[in-house]
Amino acid sequence: MGGLHWGKCATSRLLVNYAEPYRSQILDYLFKPNFGASLQILKVEIGGDAQTTDGTEPSHMHYENDENYFRGYEWWLMREAKKRNPNITLIGLPWAFPGWIGRGKNWPYDYPDITASYVVSWIIGAKQYHNLEIDYVGIWNERSFNSKYIKVNCIFCIYIVILYIYIGAHYPGTTTVPEALKTGKQLWSSEDYSTFNDDVGGGCWARILNQNYVNGQMTATISWNLVASYYQDLPFGRDGLMTAQEPWSGNYVVESPIWITAHTTQFTQPGWKYLQTVGHLAHGGSYVALTNQRGNLTIVIETMTHDHSVCIRPPLLPYTVTAQRATFCLKGSFASISELQVWHSKFDFKVKKPVYFQKLSPVKVSNGSFTLDLDVDEVYTVTTITTGLKGNYPEPPPSSPFPKIYKDDFKVQHPDFSEAPDFADQTGVFEYFINETDPGPHVYTLRQVVTQRPITWVADADQTISVIGDYKWQNVTVSCDLYMEEENGGGVFVAARVDKGGGSVRSARGIFFWVFADGTYKVTSDLSGQSVLAEGQSGTRANIWNTLTLSVKGDNAFGELNGHVLWKNAVGLVPKNGWAAIGTSSFQLAQFDNFAVQAE
């Protein structure tokens, strides 16, 4: 058995901004053994400076002569997981790569030695700077390769060998193609679930955790994503095992998939073996049995009905499940077992009073057999393991929207993380920066650092952008000091009512107030800068700080440059609500300071 589960694609972005004790509580529900999900695998993104579903994650090498093993939050997340479970398996996988690796092409494997060295440096950095042993790495998420890429020099061969210890499929629908079965390799569902984490999502997770092995011989299932800790109006909102998307309030929700996970992970460990006597129940549902080959036995049973276990993909063919009595016969070394511990979850789609991960009285085993009365939409674990526990913390603070008044001057001398709180980079990377050459008020700033289009996984914008705030904001004032470092082609913006991020960021609309190093400005209703609402002379140039203020109310907006009104305009044909944002007109160096927003 491989085990279960992960975080990536900027989906844990807001988690790092939680205050204690709530951040540690969330991590305990995810990783602490015999407490919550007790996860056995953590798969992280090797940041590549590009959009990978819900945001960008910074690379450890923005440029060829640049190395920094403290950017982003994945190092922290792996350390926290290892702190709670030293035996957790760590996997790294790139979704994108810095542009310099492709030597001008949107492809990382024309120069495989360079790419291999880049990935190996990440593995070495994990050990050298964080004492983290990476167990597996992948080549490139959801990309196909010609076999010629395997026949390269030694260092890349080592890299390939690490990958081919197992074969992974994404969203396999619980089935495996015959060609994969014939290889004799370990088979994993290396990305699965990706479903809204209400009770139907919990039902999806319960069904595929069992049936990925029953139908497809897959011994590990990895959930995308680990925790829904990103703005919910980004793509795939709340598609995590639990929800933690409000660091400003401290609120989080332990969703049903956490406890469904516990039915397997609290009573098995990597290295346990599936017994061959697994399968489907007579009246619908499935069961699996696992052993540590030292006398312990765990049986997991699920009876999820079709409509209450639909995953986001692939389509689920019709089937029926009805209440039933099931008798299990233990043979061989298990025949002498006299009783088994019982843990039970019951989804309730009628009166909405579900029960998750409840310990029941042990079941007696008589003459090697026991019987359970199984209703629909239930999960049972029957096991010799006695250490199961439903962990619990006091209720977190109540949910509340993003603050209507928000300011950040970025004056953090020794930041714990490279990104400023609550900003969600959607193209480009915005990092804390100490400008040691500036004796004035702008020593500590936020800097956009990606200067070349990355090797992308989805369609990144041609501009850089980081969003923040409440997607429901309508009437809002956004202000920021901006500094263009590029004399030729430099351009920066503040924005309001930004309506898209993630893989759809190229088509983001809103109200964008731009100034450029050539002394002009424009106002557009799109990030691409094509739908111009106003334009003219601004007198702005590079290497000078300017303050931009954008005020939007109803169908009207105006912009100020350094405290003076530069334009007023009706903006009727723009989104009615959306995030605030900052960014640049291309992949270029630029700095931001004294960000402020006030919403009505």
Side-chain angles (χ1 to χ4, degrees):
M1 177 191 177
L4 310 163
H5 322 55
W6 82 10
K8 64 93 177 169
C9 304
T11 55
S12 302
R13 173 65 190 88
L14 297 176
L15 176 59
V16 299
N17 303 139
Y18 271 80
E20 296 294 349
Y22 310 115
R23 190 172 71 179
S24 289
Q25 292 173 3
I26 295 164
L27 292 165
D28 285 350
Y29 279 117
L30 293 169
F31 299 116
K32 186 177 179 179
N34 298 317
F35 188 86
S38 303
L39 298 178
Q40 300 165 350
I41 293 174
L42 175 62
K43 180 178 180 180
V44 303
E45 176 178 347
I46 300 175
D49 292 342
Q51 172 62 244
T52 54
T53 298
D54 285 298
T56 64
E57 293 200 31
S59 170
H60 62 289
M61 297 179 70
H62 293 317
Y63 324 113
E64 191 165 6
N65 59 350
D66 163 63
E67 289 186 63
N68 184 318
Y69 296 94
F70 295 92
R71 294 182 182 130
Y73 55 81
E74 300 288 15
W75 310 108
W76 167 83
L77 187 61
M78 288 189 285
R79 290 197 311 267
E80 292 294 325
K82 276 286 189 182
K83 183 192 303 181
R84 288 162 174 80
N85 179 5
N87 297 319
I88 196 167
T89 297
L90 298 179
I91 304 175
L93 177 63
W95 266 252
F97 298 85
W100 61 267
I101 284 179
R103 297 294 193 262
K105 294 183 180 179
N106 194 45
W107 180 253
Y109 285 105
D110 281 346
Y111 303 92
D113 292 1
I114 293 172
T115 305
S117 178
Y118 168 81
V119 174
V120 169
S121 71
W122 183 87
I123 297 170
I124 294 171
K127 178 62 176 177
Q128 182 174 345
Y129 294 98
H130 303 281
N131 198 31
L132 294 167
E133 297 275 1
I134 304 300
D135 298 287
Y136 300 90
V137 292
I139 293 180
W140 194 8
N141 183 60
E142 295 178 349
R143 293 294 186 269
S144 300
F145 292 87
N146 188 292
S147 61
K148 71 178 181 179
Y149 293 112
I150 298 176
K151 300 171 184 177
V152 294
N153 76 22
C154 184
I155 189 170
F156 195 59
C157 289
I158 294 171
Y159 177 44
I160 292 289
V161 167
I162 294 173
L163 174 82
Y164 279 105
I165 293 171
Y166 74 88
I167 296 175
H170 286 195
Y171 307 98
T174 77
T175 62
T176 297
V177 296
E179 291 80 4
L181 289 170
K182 290 176 183 176
T183 66
K185 302 288 186 183
Q186 289 188 61
L187 305 178
W188 288 10
S189 178
S190 53
E191 182 176 326
D192 218 326
Y193 181 59
S194 189
T195 299
F196 191 79
N197 62 16
D198 60 6
D199 281 357
V200 173
C204 152
W205 189 228
R207 176 176 57 79
I208 65 176
L209 283 183
N210 263 24
Q211 295 194 25
N212 273 345
Y213 185 77
V214 171
N215 300 335
Q217 300 283 296
M218 288 170 278
T219 60
T221 297
I222 298 180
S223 163
W224 188 88
N225 55 65
L226 173 73
V227 53
S229 203
Y230 49 100
Y231 290 116
Q232 186 168 332
D233 291 285
L234 287 168
F236 305 102
R238 273 187 57 187
D239 281 13
L241 298 179
M242 63 181 291
T243 303
Q245 58 191 18
E246 290 186 12
W248 48 88
S249 72
N251 179 261
Y252 63 86
V253 183
V254 183
E255 312 281 4
S256 61
I258 290 289
W259 302 118
I260 296 305
T261 305
H263 273 281
T264 296
T265 53
Q266 287 205 22
F267 309 104
T268 62
Q269 293 294 330
W272 282 49
K273 302 295 184 182
Y274 280 95
L275 300 178
Q276 294 306 304
T277 52
V278 302
H280 293 274
L281 298 167
H283 298 284
S286 66
Y287 66 97
V288 294
L290 301 100
T291 180
N292 65 351
Q293 298 178 295
R294 297 192 301 274
N296 282 310
L297 173 69
T298 291
I299 302 169
V300 185
I301 305 156
E302 59 82 23
T303 59
M304 296 308 305
T305 55
H306 178 280
D307 292 353
H308 296 157
S309 67
V310 176
C311 302
I312 193 170
R313 66 178 77 87
L316 181 61
L317 296 176
Y319 67 90
T320 58
V321 181
T322 57
Q324 58 195 300
R325 174 168 288 186
T327 298
F328 296 83
C329 298
L330 308 183
K331 297 184 178 181
S333 60
F334 302 125
S336 61
I337 293 174
S338 60
E339 72 172 20
L340 293 163
Q341 308 299 309
V342 181
W343 290 80
H344 174 239
S345 291
K346 170 66 176 175
F347 292 91
D348 187 343
F349 293 92
K350 293 181 180 178
V351 297
K352 307 297 184 184
K353 292 185 178 179
V355 174
Y356 299 126
F357 203 58
Q358 180 182 49
K359 192 177 192 305
L360 303 182
S361 299
V363 63
K364 299 299 180 182
V365 181
S366 178
N367 297 320
S369 69
F370 65 93
T371 298
L372 296 175
D373 288 317
L374 306 175
D375 201 354
V376 297
D377 297 329
E378 292 188 320
V379 180
Y380 279 90
T381 299
V382 185
T383 180
T384 57
I385 300 297
T386 59
T387 54
L389 178 70
K390 186 172 184 178
N392 184 55
Y393 284 115
E395 282 292 311
S399 173
S400 66
F402 194 94
K404 290 185 176 181
I405 298 176
Y406 185 92
K407 295 181 180 180
D408 196 338
D409 60 10
F410 310 121
K411 287 182 172 61
V412 184
Q413 193 164 5
H414 301 291
D416 292 330
F417 301 97
S418 56
E419 302 99 332
D422 305 325
F423 280 90
D425 302 347
Q426 300 301 304
T427 297
V429 173
F430 295 72
E431 296 179 346
Y432 281 121
F433 179 65
I434 301 177
N435 189 350
E436 297 175 343
T437 64
D438 190 331
H442 300 290
V443 175
Y444 298 97
T445 68
L446 198 67
R447 192 188 200 198
Q448 199 298 116
V449 296
V450 179
T451 58
Q452 180 180 359
R453 185 174 181 82
I455 297 173
T456 56
W457 184 70
V458 293
D460 291 46
D462 296 321
Q463 305 74 24
T464 73
I465 179 172
S466 187
V467 302
I468 189 171
D470 188 335
Y471 191 78
K472 296 184 176 68
W473 280 346
Q474 296 181 340
N475 300 328
V476 64
T477 296
V478 185
S479 178
C480 193
D481 298 344
L482 305 100
Y483 183 91
M484 294 173 278
E485 300 185 40
E486 302 290 330
E487 293 186 0
N488 298 318
V492 289
F493 70 81
V494 297
R497 297 186 184 176
V498 177
D499 70 344
K500 291 187 182 70
S504 303
V505 68
R506 280 186 73 86
S507 60
R509 299 179 66 245
I511 305 168
F512 298 82
F513 175 19
W514 313 72
V515 294
F516 299 94
D518 65 1
T520 64
Y521 79 90
K522 69 178 178 180
V523 184
T524 70
S525 61
D526 58 346
L527 175 61
S528 63
Q530 301 302 306
S531 299
V532 179
L533 304 173
E535 58 186 335
Q537 296 298 309
S538 63
T540 51
R541 62 183 189 273
N543 303 312
I544 295 291
W545 281 97
N546 291 285
T547 301
L548 293 191
T549 303
L550 170 64
S551 297
V552 184
K553 187 167 185 176
D555 292 338
N556 294 287
F558 67 90
E560 297 176 68
L561 173 64
N562 300 323
H564 301 284
V565 175
L566 188 62
W567 58 272
K568 292 183 179 180
N569 209 48
V571 289
L573 298 177
V574 299
K576 298 300 182 184
N577 58 275
W579 297 291
I582 56 176
T584 65
S585 59
S586 64
F587 291 100
Q588 60 182 266
L589 297 173
Q591 296 178 54
F592 304 82
D593 201 1
N594 298 317
F595 176 85
V597 62
Q598 183 166 347
E600 293 183 4

